[in-house]
Amino acid sequence: EFAYGVTDNLSLSGCLLGGWRNISNVADMPNTNTIRFDGVGGELRWCFLKRGEYPVGLTRHVEPQYWLNDETSGQPGQGWGSENKLIVDTALVGDKLFGAVNLIYQF
């Protein structure tokens, strides 16, 4: 993964995806033992509110991916998806104890 902090509030990254599958004697799946390049992905994190400057921190996280192989079987095929988060956090005890809530939507 390659990550770059564009500003204090925005970071971007890109990555190459790969996987190893060792499948044998599973119904409806071909036997395989292979390592493959699976696709590409990225990440964008945008901090709307910084914890400390505001009572809570608020960050938007988007992680899209594009696959060239099925994630389970490793067989050729194309797909895409994204993990999307809204992260809310706050300091409960100074800089020692923190609380956070992540709202996640995946497709």
Side-chain angles (χ1 to χ4, degrees):
E1 180 174 0
F2 174 77
Y4 178 69
V6 179
T7 69
D8 287 345
N9 297 335
L10 178 66
S11 67
L12 303 170
S13 69
C15 65
L16 302 175
L17 305 172
W20 170 53
R21 284 124 181 130
N22 185 2
I23 302 168
S24 60
N25 302 321
V26 177
D28 299 325
M29 292 181 75
N31 292 341
T32 185
N33 184 6
T34 184
I35 296 174
R36 289 190 178 160
F37 170 70
D38 282 342
V40 294
E43 181 180 289
L44 176 135
R45 291 179 67 96
W46 182 15
C47 180
F48 291 96
L49 303 174
K50 285 192 172 190
R51 180 181 11 93
E53 295 177 19
Y54 297 92
V56 298
L58 182 63
T59 302
R60 175 77 165 101
H61 173 103
V62 178
E63 192 172 342
Q65 296 181 344
Y66 176 73
W67 302 285
L68 300 172
N69 300 303
D70 180 73
E71 286 185 285
T72 305
S73 70
Q75 297 301 306
Q78 296 181 6
W80 63 277
S82 182
E83 179 176 283
N84 303 282
K85 297 179 187 176
L86 185 62
I87 304 165
V88 181
D89 65 290
T90 189
L92 300 173
V93 178
D95 285 336
K96 297 182 184 198
L97 181 64
F98 301 90
V101 173
N102 294 337
L103 303 174
I104 301 172
Y105 176 72
Q106 289 183 314
F107 63 90

